[in-house]
Amino acid sequence: MRVFCDFDGTIAKVDTTDLVLTRLADPAWEGLEERWTRGEVTAAECMRGQVALIGGDDTALDAVLDTVELTEGFAAFVAWCQAHHVPLTVVSDGVDHFIVRILERHGLGRLPVIANHLVGNGELGRRLEQPWSRAGCAAGSGVCKCQVAARSDARANDPRDLMVFIGDGRSDFCVSGRADLLFARDKLAAYARSRAMPHHEFSDFHSITATLAAAHERLARRAAI
């Protein structure tokens, strides 16, 4: 079993990038958001432009990030994954510094994170690097989650490993089709319902832990036969 989990709106209760933009960015970020919504720019282009508009020094940025809370049960879910040797990777089309800062505040900084890379600071200016982007990405995202999942498939010790994905938004649509077990809410849940995709809807991580614990036990019994 391998677990990939989105961050904004999934692990975090809010979209951290939107929160930072609302608090610290030039209002022009909203125009970029509207252009993305209309399909005039890709999600990756929108994010690069918006991050460049973020003002404030690093202290002000971290103060905003330190207000973000995690979805109930996530810390216990991480502990369950570790206890059962289930690899858990945070994969997000958000910003790595935002994610790592929040996870560290909650004692979870050891989790691997794949996200867009923040460069610079409030004094010199900020920009976004996107090492996980892919030409032709169906979502147009800075982080192609399908590519991340495909690379993990290639590295898996056993090709029969169960791939679990947990998410909530548009950047999760494409990769959700690769999941053997899908947990979804909000836009991703609506997307899955519209396509009759098997999925589990969730409001917190307690229910996800319970479902995965049962699946893990079935896999263990099967392996023992």
Side-chain angles (χ1 to χ4, degrees), residues 34 64 67 82 107 133 156 159 183 223:
E34 291 171 1
V64 173
T67 67
Q82 292 176 337
S133 64
F183 294 89

Side-chain angles (χ1 to χ4, degrees), residues 189-211:
Y191 175 85
R193 287 194 300 268
S194 72
R195 286 156 176 77
M197 295 169 58
H199 67 286
H200 298 267
E201 296 194 27
F202 70 97
S203 59
D204 58 44
F205 278 85
H206 297 301
S207 61
I208 295 175
T209 303
T211 302

Side-chain angles (χ1 to χ4, degrees), residues 18 21 25-42 45-47 49-50 53:
D18 283 353
L21 291 171
D26 185 294
W29 77 267
E30 295 177 302
L32 285 168
E33 191 82 3
E34 291 171 1
R35 292 188 64 199
W36 169 62
T37 302
R38 293 194 299 265
E40 296 173 4
V41 296
T42 65
E45 291 168 333
C46 179
M47 281 280 289
Q50 289 176 328
L53 295 171

Side-chain angles (χ1 to χ4, degrees), residues 139-204:
S141 300
V143 174
C144 179
K145 296 182 181 182
C146 286
Q147 177 175 242
V148 173
R151 289 185 180 181
S152 177
D153 286 342
R155 292 195 301 266
N157 292 327
D158 189 334
R160 297 171 298 175
D161 282 355
L162 194 75
M163 198 278 263
V164 179
F165 189 83
I166 308 167
D168 79 307
R170 288 174 59 175
S171 67
D172 304 320
F173 287 1
C174 187
V175 70
S176 64
R178 290 179 173 266
D180 298 303
L181 191 56
L182 175 65
F183 294 89
R185 65 176 175 185
D186 299 337
K187 292 179 181 178
L188 181 58
Y191 175 85
R193 287 194 300 268
S194 72
R195 286 156 176 77
M197 295 169 58
H199 67 286
H200 298 267
E201 296 194 27
F202 70 97
S203 59
D204 58 44

Side-chain angles (χ1 to χ4, degrees), residues 101-152:
R101 173 78 184 191
I102 294 164
L103 289 176
E104 286 181 343
R105 186 168 67 88
H106 291 273
L108 301 170
R110 61 192 177 277
L111 287 175
V113 174
I114 293 174
N116 297 293
H117 179 53
L118 183 67
V119 178
N121 53 45
E123 182 179 352
L124 301 175
R126 298 183 175 95
R127 61 184 175 86
L128 201 63
E129 293 181 348
Q130 296 172 316
W132 291 95
S133 64
R134 179 179 66 86
C137 173
S141 300
V143 174
C144 179
K145 296 182 181 182
C146 286
Q147 177 175 242
V148 173
R151 289 185 180 181
S152 177

